[in-house]
Amino acid sequence: MTDFIIAQIQAQSGVGLLCLVAVFFYVGLITIGGGQVGITVMQQVLVDQFHLLDDAFFFNMVAISESTPGPIGINIATYIGTELYGVWGGFFSTLGEVLPSLICIVLIAKFFGSFAEKKGVKAAFSTLRPAVSGVVAVAAVRIVILALFIVREGLLLSSPSTWNENLQIYGVSAIFYLLCLLFLFRTKIHPVFLVAAGALFGVIFC
């Protein structure tokens, strides 16, 4: 089934457009915890499972989506749909991404008040928080690795002897990353200024 969906999307057929909408509906349906959790989910679905993007391009899209208005999932859905099928592709892909959330929020608005105080519901939410935090951490680690390190195929985490040759660090990017962390923790500077500085930094030094 996955191979059929990939083939139809790559052929840019009418069925492929429906498949693309279904893929983003699936992404929107299983993305529980917000946009940052969505990074991990979308990476697994769009890159690992359906091969619509490679890792580098996906995280470039993450950077673009985080530096422009709008949730990351919607931005990526709009971009991929438009890239493959034009304006209508962007529209329907975006619709597929937001529809599960729209349905859920309507149902929650109607029924949540009647059972929000029940013990089981409170227990579920108390365990959701650490789970979501873990998924966000996975996304953060993946972005840091892609942004700061060159990882070659011969690298084995269990074999330190392979690290010197197959793991290299982008020194300039690492220094800029540490400076950004310092500014975020030690000042009240708005993150949007650091994002803008990152774009300028990349143009000049990368």
Side-chain angles (χ1 to χ4, degrees), residues 176-200:
F176 181 74
Y177 171 74
L178 293 174
L179 287 174
C180 287
L181 286 181
L182 182 64
F183 273 102
L184 282 172
F185 284 114
R186 298 298 296 273
T187 71
K188 294 183 179 180
I189 187 171
H190 196 284
V192 71
F193 295 112
L194 293 179
V195 171
L200 182 62

Side-chain angles (χ1 to χ4, degrees), residues 80-157:
I80 294 177
T82 303
E83 187 75 10
L84 293 175
Y85 293 95
V87 174
W88 284 110
F91 173 78
F92 284 112
S93 296
T94 304
L95 182 63
E97 171 72 22
V98 303
L99 201 55
S101 299
L102 182 62
I103 294 171
C104 288
I105 202 66
V106 168
L107 293 175
I108 289 172
K110 185 171 181 62
F111 299 111
F112 185 70
S114 61
F115 62 86
E117 296 302 318
K118 291 186 177 180
K119 187 177 295 185
V121 175
K122 289 184 176 180
F125 277 108
S126 67
T127 53
L128 272 175
R129 285 190 287 270
V132 169
S133 300
V135 177
V136 171
V138 170
V141 169
R142 284 181 170 172
I143 293 175
V144 167
I145 291 173
L146 187 68
L148 302 184
F149 296 93
I150 303 172
V151 181
R152 297 190 174 91
E153 290 185 3
L155 177 69
L156 295 174
L157 293 179

Side-chain angles (χ1 to χ4, degrees), residues 6-77:
I6 294 172
Q8 292 300 317
I9 292 175
Q10 290 177 343
Q12 299 183 18
S13 63
V15 175
L17 177 58
L18 294 178
C19 290
L20 188 66
V21 173
V23 168
F24 279 107
F25 184 91
Y26 172 65
V27 170
L29 184 64
I30 64 174
T31 303
I32 300 173
Q36 305 309 314
V37 176
I39 294 174
T40 301
V41 173
M42 284 185 286
Q43 195 269 343
Q44 291 176 343
V45 175
L46 301 179
V47 178
D48 298 338
Q49 185 174 356
F50 291 102
H51 310 294
L52 297 179
L53 305 168
D54 59 30
D55 272 316
F57 193 88
F58 174 75
F59 285 113
N60 284 341
M61 281 303 304
V62 170
I64 292 171
S65 298
E66 293 290 7
S67 57
T68 54
I72 178 175
I74 294 176
N75 288 348
I76 290 181

